Amino acid sequence: QFLGQMGLVRWLQDAGWPPDKLGIQKGNARYVIPHYPHPDYVLPQAEQEASFLEQKFAAVRVEPTSKAVRKILSKPDSFGLLHFACHGAADQDNIANAQLLLQGRIEGANYIPEYFSATAVEQHANLSESGNAPVIVLNACQTGRAGYRLTGIGGFAQAFLRRKAG
């Protein structure tokens, strides 16, 4: 049974009812785990998450770029699980700017970060046409935060649920 139905996790009020079942088939899982080129951003434990996902679900790595993430999010029913393990930032007073820090790149001596926003999820994600709601895991600081926008609540959870995540 889904943890939201048991009262163990929060569920957003205007997102409809949580699905009765969430299924993840082996080979139908993806993950976005950057290999940060700057030592200040390295997340050693995230590598262990990648290994676990590969062994447990035969998960496939998604290139940690905004283009690759947009592409997979725009293809309905292309995965049953999408797991992010990266840095995140979300300010409740500016929730429309909630972001995940993707891999970025080094140019000369400078690290150029690359971000993926909750707004991009709302604009590009089309997660399900079949009615199967994929599981999205956001293992990133602050990404569970929600805040008010002009039109209501915003943030990553709201954005993914609006686009048919489970």
Side-chain angles (χ1 to χ4, degrees), residues 60-134:
V60 175
R61 182 175 190 257
V62 173
E63 193 66 32
T65 65
S66 56
K67 181 179 179 181
V69 173
R70 273 194 318 271
K71 184 177 179 179
I72 194 162
L73 289 176
S74 68
K75 292 181 181 176
D77 303 311
S78 60
F79 57 86
L81 167 69
L82 181 59
H83 182 102
F84 291 86
C86 56
H87 292 284
D91 179 0
Q92 287 180 300
D93 294 330
N94 186 12
I95 202 65
N97 202 28
Q99 302 177 80
L100 298 171
L101 178 61
L102 300 179
Q103 191 159 304
R105 65 189 185 284
I106 298 287
E107 286 186 8
N110 298 317
Y111 172 63
I112 310 298
E114 183 174 357
Y115 297 98
F116 191 75
S117 71
T119 302
V121 172
E122 290 178 350
Q123 293 172 344
H124 299 283
N126 181 16
L127 300 177
S128 177
E129 288 180 350
S130 67
N132 294 327

Side-chain angles (χ1 to χ4, degrees), residues 46-65:
E47 295 302 319
Q48 292 178 6
E49 287 181 49
S51 295
F52 172 81
L53 291 163
E54 289 168 357
Q55 292 170 10
K56 183 75 175 172
F57 299 108
V60 175
R61 182 175 190 257
V62 173
E63 193 66 32
T65 65

